[in-house]
Amino acid sequence: MYEQLLGGLSLVLMPENLLWAALGVTIGIILGSIPGLTDNMGIVLLLPFTFYLSPIAGIALLMGLSKGGNFGGSIPAILFNIPGTPQAMVTCIDGYPLTQQGKSGKALKQALYSSALADACSDLLLIFLAAPVAIIALKIGPPEYTSIIVFSLVVISVATSAYPLRGAVAVILGLLLGTVGTDPVFGTPRLTFGLIELSDGFHIMPMVVGMLAFSEVLIQLEQEFISRRERKSAGKETAEVAMVSGQDDPENHKLSWPEFKSTLPAIFRSTGIGSAVGIIPGIGTTVGSYLSYIMAKQWSKTPEKFGKGALEGVAAAEAGNNAVNGPNLIPLVTLGIPGNLAAALIMGAFMMKGLVPGPMFMQTNGEMLYALFIVLFLSNLFTLGIGYFFIRHARNVTAIPKSYLFSGIIVFSVIGSYVSYASIFDVYAMLAFAVLGWALTKFKINLPSVIVAFFLGPMLETKLRQSLSISGNDVSVFFTKPISLGFLILTVVAVVFLLKRRKTLVA
């Protein structure tokens, strides 16, 4: 292994490879920071161009783009409460309140450092644990998937709200929305109401943008209307102010070492959670980010600050999100199974170069594989440097007055909803989700919980039905598989622990 690692290092340290990796990171950050233009779109667009590059340079470009896009999504999430990528929606929970407090620079730096550190640690896991961990990942089948998703949903429903009933409502609503579309087994339409546009169900981007971004515009407009009516009744008039106060104070944008040091436990804990999620194909960065956030809140000494601008919350969300990246390639390079859409697209780049990922890949192309692993690790340094340049200038836009700012949010919400599938129906869906998000906020229902449950719902249904089909409708299949049983037991333990901890905190 170490001989291959040294050989891979000699292949990587060429200006051409580093330049393409840096370019990929730059493009990824730009695309990730524009809602609706995800890193996956960038990979699709640039995939044909890699045909003219060397294998390492071409794949380095795509891997760098994926890393940059993962961080880039946090920029609009923090500044405008609009996640640039679906997984960045968890970053909104504490990132946007920090912006409202005039601390956007602090939040952006926390997101950047957490992303780069967690990404680097997960890449080290990829380098040294790829082969042995792949053996465990191979044992994950439909029953295990089902239990893992059940664990995630139950923990989300219990941990994300002070009232578990509200958390359960959020999860059930998300699962219900996820059933809209075509039945995955029988191919019959469900809850489509005769609309052909709903045959594939609701798309994730209009839902995310509508619930998290446009609904915030509606809330702010409502508050402004109430405020003006109160001022009018009191005979007072005040000039419009900027969105945040204290925005020009440089001290509010500095992230001190003690502040960052206090978030390190959350970062490393989230790195472990995100890495574990990344090893399992198909689970994805959104789940890694949300589970990391939940665990950070439960283990925090100040859980009451979460949702109000906690740096720990930003650190956990970004670390859990980015830690998925490296381990997500483990099933790809060792088993030939892409862990997510980005990995599937990168697999296409491998095959364009005549490289076929799979069990024999590490033996036949060891040096090249480790060269790509090293490129992944070095891309984190590019993310750190290029990302720091971006956030220095991006945070200045939060000084824009409300009228201009929310007008821009409306425009980007419409564009972001439309461009994913070039469908005007998605714009109407976004507006509907905006109204739903506004209403759910009134009832204090956690919006990210609804979105995560919506994201996991179709996967849960598919894996559950596959499991029952394999076992002949025998539910004991979930209790006879060791990994599946382990997660079900872990679900019960987690619920008991979380409920007891909540009672302790309340007391």
Side-chain angles (χ1 to χ4, degrees), residues 53-101:
L53 301 177
S54 67
I56 295 177
I59 298 173
L61 172 66
L62 301 181
M63 288 180 169
L65 195 155
S66 179
K67 283 181 174 287
N70 245 19
F71 163 70
S74 68
I75 296 176
I78 290 172
L79 295 180
F80 307 122
N81 204 34
I82 305 177
T85 53
Q87 60 266 29
M89 66 180 178
V90 188
T91 309
C92 295
I93 300 175
D94 282 289
Y96 185 60
L98 283 168
T99 295
Q100 292 177 309
Q101 297 166 22

Side-chain angles (χ1 to χ4, degrees), residues 177-178 180-181 197-198 200-204 206-207 425-426 429 433 454:
L177 291 170
V180 175
E197 292 88 352
L198 288 178
D200 290 332
F202 293 112
H203 296 141
I204 185 70
M207 184 179 191
F425 180 82
D426 281 346
F433 281 121
F454 167 81

Side-chain angles (χ1 to χ4, degrees), residues 342-392:
L345 296 172
I346 291 173
M347 182 177 179
F350 271 95
M351 300 184 74
M352 282 174 57
K353 300 299 182 182
L355 305 172
V356 182
M360 299 300 296
F361 189 73
M362 297 189 74
Q363 296 181 13
T364 57
N365 298 280
E367 288 189 359
M368 180 173 293
L369 182 60
Y370 279 103
L372 295 173
F373 288 170
I374 295 170
V375 165
L376 273 178
F377 187 81
L378 293 177
S379 293
N380 299 314
L381 300 179
F382 295 133
T383 301
L384 197 60
I386 298 169
Y388 189 80
F389 171 80
F390 267 84
I391 64 176
R392 284 188 63 185

Side-chain angles (χ1 to χ4, degrees), residues 204-262:
I204 185 70
M205 187 53 70
M207 184 179 191
V208 169
V209 172
M211 278 196 168
L212 298 182
F214 209 101
S215 67
E216 180 66 24
V217 174
L218 298 179
I219 292 169
Q220 292 292 334
L221 288 175
E222 180 191 26
Q223 292 176 352
E224 181 67 19
F225 175 78
I226 295 173
S227 177
R228 286 189 178 185
R229 187 172 61 182
E230 290 176 349
R231 290 199 303 267
K232 186 177 180 180
S233 62
K236 297 179 181 179
E237 292 186 2
T238 57
E240 181 183 41
V241 296
M243 181 181 177
V244 293
S245 59
Q247 185 66 39
D248 295 328
D249 187 355
E251 293 299 320
N252 285 339
H253 300 295
K254 292 181 180 178
L255 180 67
S256 65
W257 166 245
E259 287 176 321
F260 180 70
K261 184 180 178 181
S262 67

Side-chain angles (χ1 to χ4, degrees), residues 2 9 22 25 110 173 180 232 253 257 268 312 335 344 346 388 390 429 466 502:
Y2 293 103
L9 189 61
V25 169
Q110 181 68 66
L173 178 59
V180 175
K232 186 177 180 180
H253 300 295
W257 166 245
F268 289 122
E312 277 185 286
L335 305 173
I346 291 173
Y388 189 80
F390 267 84
Q466 286 177 350
R502 176 175 286 115

Side-chain angles (χ1 to χ4, degrees), residues 400-461:
I400 300 174
K402 280 185 178 182
S403 57
Y404 299 141
L405 184 60
F406 287 126
S407 298
I409 290 176
I410 292 172
V411 171
F412 277 111
S413 296
V414 172
I415 294 174
S417 301
Y418 178 80
V419 296
S420 297
Y421 292 90
S423 170
I424 194 66
F425 180 82
D426 281 346
V427 177
Y428 297 140
M430 182 272 293
L431 295 175
F433 281 121
V435 176
L436 177 61
W438 171 82
L440 292 177
T441 301
K442 292 294 182 182
F443 290 99
K444 297 182 180 180
I445 302 297
N446 188 275
L447 299 182
S449 297
V450 177
I451 298 172
V452 173
F454 167 81
F455 178 79
L456 290 177
M459 191 186 307
L460 173 62
E461 179 185 8

